Amino acid sequence: MDTTRRTLLRGMAAAPFAAAAGGLLVPETAYAAAPPKATVVMEGGVDGFLPWADASDRLRSTWTAATLAQVLTTATQQGTVVGDWDDREGAKNTVPEPFGFRYGFGWDGTRRAPDKTWDRRSNWYPQGITTTYDGYGGPLEGRSVVAVSWYAKGDGFEDRGARVSFVDVTGGPASPRYQHVLLVEPVQSSKAGAKPSFRPVSIHAGGMAWAGNFLYIANRPGETTHVRRGGMSVFDVSKLIKVTGRGKERAYGYDYLLPLHHIYENARGSRLLHSQLSLDRTRSTGVSLVVSEFRESTAQGVAARWEVDDRTGYIKRGEADESWWLGTRYVQGAVSVGEDAYYSANDRSAPGKLQGNLWRHKGRTGGPAFLGKLSKGPEDLSYEPVDGRSLWALGEHKHLRRVYRVRV
């Protein structure tokens, strides 16, 4: 495919700008400089092919247009009670309950996923998390939904790309129903008579945020072909597709597809590692998207914020409105709440430990303070104002996979 980009300016300023400075101090050292600039540009496809949004419409007319309500109503998987936080045979209470635990569930252990894999122990790894509170400020058509992203890893397994699980937690059921949806790139040549097609999206899906009808999914550089310099892939929940026959076979047995709509890519000269994503509805200035970095060798990871149009879900302009130093290593998820921030991070004080730590960064300056333990293999975070301040979190390791909410 010709990879010449089709740059769009809808919802953004025509040119990127420099990010504003954030906090300057972290536990290990005092930084003399502001965080590096963070800027993105928006693109909607590649030359020689229809824009992804148009190709999605063609796919929906080829197969069947679907809605999120249909996805949830036909959900094929059943969540389980949290139990002992460890699904391994004979294991009992080997994993401690996370700090501030209030609610959670495990993945289906009795029914295989549509591609014949087991959610508890397959080579699909859960990563990002977001909710309808992020997307719409509350339930959507009476349903409270948690969305979780997964990526495929292992010999030959990467071909399946990435998927999103939509989980109906209305009323906080102990065993919620959920449905997996495959993430795809819609493809159609702009030549006359060309037919629409799709292919799985190879992406780590390390973080996810729901903004209006868009699901933003993080892309570190080199993780996928359609975002070369790192950035965010954006999928349109209002353009879900149900496939049958050969389409279902090409989708590895999945009934539903979620198509790529557009991307935000680092502008040239911007080197932000888009590792995690979250949405912030707590600021008086409006809704914003927070991108944070995973760094192993230094605490000089950065978080950056972009204001989002709450009506359309688009980022308002290319320049980041705020940036700050995270001040700790191994950050797997970050949320901004009021003037504070919270981080999930791996504890690597001992080989193979990988216990999750939860940090509070008061005022997003100075150094974050330790709050308590999360589950092993911590990943993304999402904020929801339940029981005061609450955070959604999840674990990725086989047999230890849980989705849960903690009160902070």
Side-chain angles (χ1 to χ4, degrees):
M1 176 185 293
D2 181 1
T3 56
T4 304
R5 294 312 179 89
R6 183 193 304 272
T7 301
L8 304 182
L9 300 177
R10 178 171 51 178
M12 296 182 62
F17 300 91
L24 300 180
L25 300 177
V26 299
E28 295 186 6
T29 184
Y31 298 138
K37 297 177 182 180
T39 59
V40 294
V41 292
M42 178 180 168
E43 298 171 348
V46 295
D47 286 347
F49 291 80
L50 292 185
W52 291 310
D54 294 340
S56 295
D57 291 335
R58 301 291 180 89
L59 276 177
R60 282 163 62 86
S61 62
T62 299
W63 300 106
T64 303
T67 66
L68 182 57
Q70 290 173 324
V71 168
L72 295 170
T73 300
T74 60
T76 57
Q77 305 295 109
Q78 188 78 47
T80 62
V81 296
V82 167
D84 293 332
W85 295 84
D86 193 336
D87 297 323
R88 291 173 295 182
E89 186 175 352
K92 286 190 175 181
N93 299 319
T94 57
V95 179
E97 184 176 274
F99 162 82
F101 173 75
R102 288 295 184 272
Y103 166 77
F105 61 87
W107 300 103
D108 201 329
T110 60
R111 284 168 292 270
R112 293 177 185 267
D115 63 349
K116 310 303 181 184
T117 58
W118 294 99
D119 291 341
R120 291 186 178 186
R121 61 178 187 268
S122 73
N123 281 5
W124 285 104
Y125 288 83
Q127 298 288 298
I129 189 166
T130 185
T131 70
T132 44
Y133 169 75
D134 287 341
Y136 308 100
L140 175 63
E141 299 179 354
R143 296 179 188 262
S144 295
V145 181
V146 172
V148 173
S149 64
W150 309 60
Y151 80 104
K153 181 177 74 171
D155 292 339
F157 206 76
E158 291 89 346
D159 293 343
R160 306 184 190 201
R163 69 186 186 188
V164 170
S165 303
F166 291 100
V167 189
D168 190 344
V169 297
T170 306
S175 53
R177 293 178 64 82
Y178 64 93
Q179 180 97 268
H180 298 306
V181 176
L182 191 69
L183 298 180
V184 298
E185 179 183 2
V187 179
Q188 182 174 354
S189 171
S190 56
K191 295 179 180 179
K195 296 182 179 181
S197 185
F198 66 87
R199 58 187 179 189
V201 172
S202 296
I203 182 176
H204 187 74
M208 181 166 59
W210 204 331
N213 287 327
F214 291 147
L215 282 182
Y216 284 75
I217 298 183
N219 273 319
R220 288 166 66 96
E223 287 183 344
T224 186
T225 56
H226 62 268
V227 181
R228 297 167 297 184
R229 296 190 294 270
M232 298 165 277
S233 299
V234 187
F235 298 82
D236 192 345
V237 178
S238 71
K239 292 183 180 290
L240 284 157
I241 303 163
K242 183 175 183 181
V243 291
T244 56
R246 289 188 176 180
K248 187 172 179 176
E249 291 177 9
R250 293 188 58 209
Y252 302 97
Y254 290 96
D255 291 306
Y256 295 98
L257 311 177
L258 181 59
L260 181 68
H261 188 271
H262 62 279
I263 65 172
Y264 293 100
E265 188 170 38
N266 278 336
R268 294 190 182 278
S270 183
R271 293 182 173 84
L272 184 71
L273 297 181
H274 294 247
S275 303
Q276 305 104 33
L277 280 170
S278 63
L279 201 84
D280 185 358
R281 288 187 170 274
T282 65
R283 289 162 58 88
S284 60
T285 54
V287 178
S288 56
L289 192 73
V290 175
V291 177
S292 52
E293 295 185 312
F294 175 86
R295 296 279 187 177
E296 292 186 274
S297 60
T298 176
Q300 290 183 316
V302 173
R305 181 196 305 279
W306 280 267
E307 298 296 330
V308 174
D309 186 319
D310 196 28
R311 180 181 59 85
T312 66
Y314 287 98
I315 289 175
K316 289 184 177 180
R317 58 179 183 171
E319 69 171 320
D321 297 276
E322 180 190 10
S323 303
W324 68 90
W325 298 110
L326 295 170
T328 188
R329 304 181 189 189
Y330 314 125
V331 172
Q332 297 278 13
V335 295
S336 173
V337 183
E339 297 301 315
D340 300 335
Y342 295 88
Y343 310 136
S344 63
N346 286 324
D347 178 354
R348 297 192 178 183
S349 58
K353 193 173 183 180
L354 295 182
Q355 181 69 43
N357 288 337
L358 180 63
W359 300 84
R360 181 187 182 188
H361 199 176
K362 190 172 178 62
R364 300 192 298 276
T365 60
F370 176 74
L371 279 183
K373 293 293 185 181
L374 297 174
S375 67
K376 287 188 175 181
E379 289 296 329
D380 205 20
L381 292 176
S382 180
Y383 171 75
E384 186 173 9
V386 179
D387 297 327
R389 290 184 176 186
S390 290
L391 303 176
W392 285 95
L394 73 165
E396 71 164 336
H397 294 329
K398 294 181 180 181
H399 300 291
L400 303 176
R401 294 169 177 167
R402 299 292 187 274
V403 178
Y404 56 96
R405 193 180 70 231
V406 297
R407 183 176 183 272
V408 296

